[in-house]
């Protein structure tokens, strides 16, 4: 297996190949899809600790007062009240109220911010920030000099305790500066798998050293993006390009609690004026058959009521699970629906989120 020279490489591309990873293109990057079977990697993450290369994600550095810089108006969540060393999830919208991207804001100092964005949207997002930040505001796209490793799983804290003194103090959605093998790192605790987890931001050129150090721990295995998608669907987390895009309102996408209706942000008026005729819903197949993005959703009377945005087989439930946009009145838990096309349909039951309820995320 070799890497595609037409795609961006993380600092670990060669290391993934050396470890036998199956490489694929994702968001313009060469990324490891899997090292072992998806089921084996799922079980390892849910029971022990897995290490993901997420260096393809984007990091923007901004300095300035939240309001005076214009930053607060870009993000749908309020950020002026964020405590130092805390993180906050939100989104940024276009003038029509569509989702440009979802993101996480890190408050490093009173006027010092890091914004983490999705890999496929780095260039688009950077243009948006530069266009809407006020003149004189410091903005740096540090995506190609900041690497990111995610250590996820119920034993991830135990692993890091050995390597990072003081890591146990981090509570959910906080971060701090640490030393890992003598290398300065920003380490946060947010997570994307439903398990206890940490995100390690480090200098690009030091990433391989940290990767190798963590993998020397007997508990940890390298893990690919394939199972990461299964894990996030089990938690009903949205993914840009599936549940989110520039045509989708955050209210349709189920991001209501991340939209502050009392603050002024780009797209706020459009969001409030736009009728919400469909919203995101969740369902479990009555068999092992898995829905796929693009499958249509039907009600018991064979009327089309929506479309699948994400689907997979859930090892936790031993059944297919799906996320999709549905008519607002078709989302009540327990209702029977069908997914597929006119010729081939499979039965499912509308469910409440998340599918996976036994995670260690906040432990």
């Amino acid at each position: 297996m070799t890497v595609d020279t037409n795609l961006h490489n993380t600092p670990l591309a060669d290391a993934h190949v050396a470890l036998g990873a199956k490489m694929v293109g994702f968001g313009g990057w060469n990324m490891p899809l899997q090292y072992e079977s998806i089921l084996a990697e799922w079980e390892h993450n849910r029971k022990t600790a897995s290490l993901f290369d997420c260096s393809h994600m984007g990091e923007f550095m901004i300095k300035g007062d939240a309001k005076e810089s214009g930053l607060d108006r870009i993000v749908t969540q309020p950020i002026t009240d964020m405590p130092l060393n805390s993180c906050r999830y939100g989104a940024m919208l276009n003038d029509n109220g569509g989702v440009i991207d979802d993101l996480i804001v890190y408050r490093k100092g009173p006027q010092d911010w890091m914004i983490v964005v999705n890999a496929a949207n780095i260039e688009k997002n950077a243009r948006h920030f530069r266009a809407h930040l006020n003149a004189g505001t410091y903005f740096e796209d540090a995506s190609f000099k900041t690497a990111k490793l995610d250590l996820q799983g119920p034993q991830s804290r135990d692993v890091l305790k050995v390597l990072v003194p003081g890591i146990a103090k981090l509570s959910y959605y906080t971060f701090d500066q640490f030393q890992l093998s003598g290398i300065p790192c920003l380490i946060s605790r947010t997570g994307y798998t439903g398990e206890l987890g940490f995100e390690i931001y480090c200098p690009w050129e030091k990433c391989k050293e940290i990767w190798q150090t963590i993998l020397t721990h007997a508990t940890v295995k390298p893990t690919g993006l394939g199972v990461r998608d299964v894990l996030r669907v089990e938690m009903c987390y949205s993914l840009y390009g599936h549940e989110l895009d520039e045509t989708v309102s955050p209210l349709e996408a189920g991001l209501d609690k991340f939209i502050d209706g009392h603050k002024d942000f780009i797209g706020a008026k459009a969001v409030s004026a736009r009728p919400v005729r469909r919203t995101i819903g969740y369902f479990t197949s009555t068999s092992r058959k898995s829905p796929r993005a693009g499958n249509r959703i039907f009600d018991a009377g064979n009327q089309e009521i929506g479309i699948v945005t994400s689907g997979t087989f859930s090892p936790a439930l031993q059944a297919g699970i799906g996320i999709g946009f549905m008519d607002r009145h078709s989302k009540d838990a327990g209702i029977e629906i069908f997914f597929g096309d006119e010729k081939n349909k499979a039965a499912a039951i509308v469910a409440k989120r998340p599918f996976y309820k036994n995670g260690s995320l906040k432990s």
Side-chain angles (χ1 to χ4, degrees):
M1 176 67 67
T2 58
V3 296
D4 188 334
T5 56
N6 296 314
L7 299 173
H8 295 302
N9 288 323
T10 76
L12 300 173
D14 292 339
H16 297 314
V17 172
L19 288 170
K22 178 181 179 182
M23 304 294 287
V24 296
F26 179 81
W29 293 76
N30 283 307
M31 299 300 296
L33 179 68
Q34 62 191 91
Y35 297 83
E36 300 180 79
S37 71
I38 294 293
L39 181 58
E41 293 190 0
W42 177 91
E43 186 170 10
H44 194 81
N45 186 89
R46 290 289 186 219
K47 293 182 178 179
T48 51
S50 300
L51 188 60
F52 299 85
D53 178 11
C54 295
S55 300
H56 60 312
M57 299 292 282
E59 295 86 16
F60 299 157
M61 307 300 173
I62 297 168
K63 293 184 179 179
D65 176 80
K67 283 193 174 294
E68 291 179 2
S69 67
L71 177 60
D72 187 60
R73 191 169 178 272
I74 294 174
V75 183
T76 57
Q77 282 266 60
I79 62 172
T80 56
D81 63 344
M82 287 178 62
L84 299 185
N85 288 15
S86 69
C87 317
R88 188 164 289 175
Y89 176 81
M92 57 181 179
L93 311 182
N94 58 30
D95 291 332
N96 297 320
V99 180
I100 294 175
D101 205 0
D102 60 335
L103 48 78
I104 298 181
V105 179
Y106 287 63
R107 189 169 200 170
K108 299 169 66 179
Q111 298 189 16
D112 192 359
W113 314 84
M114 180 171 77
I115 315 293
V116 179
V117 300
N118 285 298
N121 296 333
I122 292 173
E123 292 183 9
K124 176 185 75 172
N125 291 347
R127 289 195 299 270
H128 184 78
F129 272 91
R130 289 188 174 106
H132 293 283
L133 288 171
N134 294 329
T137 299
Y138 177 87
F139 174 87
E140 179 189 5
D141 178 358
S143 304
F144 285 89
K145 67 179 187 182
T146 305
K148 179 176 184 282
L149 301 177
D150 287 13
L151 183 65
Q152 303 280 307
Q155 295 183 21
S156 56
R157 184 192 288 117
D158 295 332
V159 172
L160 280 187
K161 277 182 182 178
V162 180
L163 302 170
V164 184
I167 195 66
K169 73 179 182 181
L170 283 189
S171 57
Y172 190 49
Y173 261 71
T174 68
F175 69 92
D176 210 338
Q177 303 288 339
F178 297 93
Q179 295 275 327
L180 200 166
S181 296
I183 301 168
C185 300
L186 184 156
I187 302 180
S188 61
R189 185 184 154 194
T190 60
Y192 194 61
T193 67
E195 304 296 346
L196 173 68
F198 300 85
E199 300 76 41
I200 302 164
Y201 298 88
C202 64
W204 192 268
E205 67 277 7
K206 297 292 186 179
C207 181
K208 186 175 291 187
E209 183 178 341
I210 292 176
W211 170 266
Q212 292 170 341
T213 297
I214 296 174
L215 286 181
T216 59
H217 196 290
T219 301
V220 183
K221 287 186 177 182
T223 308
L225 295 185
V227 74
R228 191 173 173 90
D229 195 57
V230 175
L231 296 162
R232 71 97 187 166
V233 175
E234 286 188 329
M235 289 303 296
C236 299
Y237 292 151
S238 295
L239 177 65
Y240 197 89
H242 289 252
E243 289 72 42
L244 304 171
D245 64 39
E246 292 206 43
T247 69
V248 174
S249 160
L251 303 185
E252 294 176 322
L255 299 184
D256 311 47
K257 66 180 181 179
F258 305 110
I259 308 299
D260 187 333
H262 300 292
K263 69 171 282 191
D264 175 36
F265 57 84
I266 297 166
K269 291 181 180 179
V271 167
S272 62
R274 183 172 172 173
V276 180
R277 297 189 175 92
R278 61 174 191 169
T279 51
I280 210 75
Y282 313 94
F283 59 91
T284 305
S285 173
T286 57
S287 68
R288 294 174 66 89
K289 185 175 177 61
S290 302
R292 291 288 177 262
N295 284 167
R296 291 148 66 194
I297 302 173
F298 303 86
D299 64 16
N302 203 35
Q303 295 297 308
E304 187 172 339
I305 59 170
I307 188 166
V308 176
T309 54
S310 295
T312 190
F313 177 78
S314 167
L317 301 184
Q318 290 294 294
I321 56 174
I323 305 174
F325 288 114
M326 306 181 200
D327 294 348
R328 294 189 67 181
H329 302 296
S330 306
K331 284 183 51 195
D332 294 338
I335 291 177
E336 183 180 45
I337 60 171
F338 298 85
F339 62 87
D341 55 35
E342 288 289 356
K343 294 182 179 179
N344 296 289
K345 299 184 182 71
I349 302 296
V350 176
K352 292 183 178 180
R353 62 174 300 172
F355 298 111
Y356 182 74
K357 305 181 189 300
N358 301 316
S360 56
L361 179 63
K362 298 182 182 181
S363 63

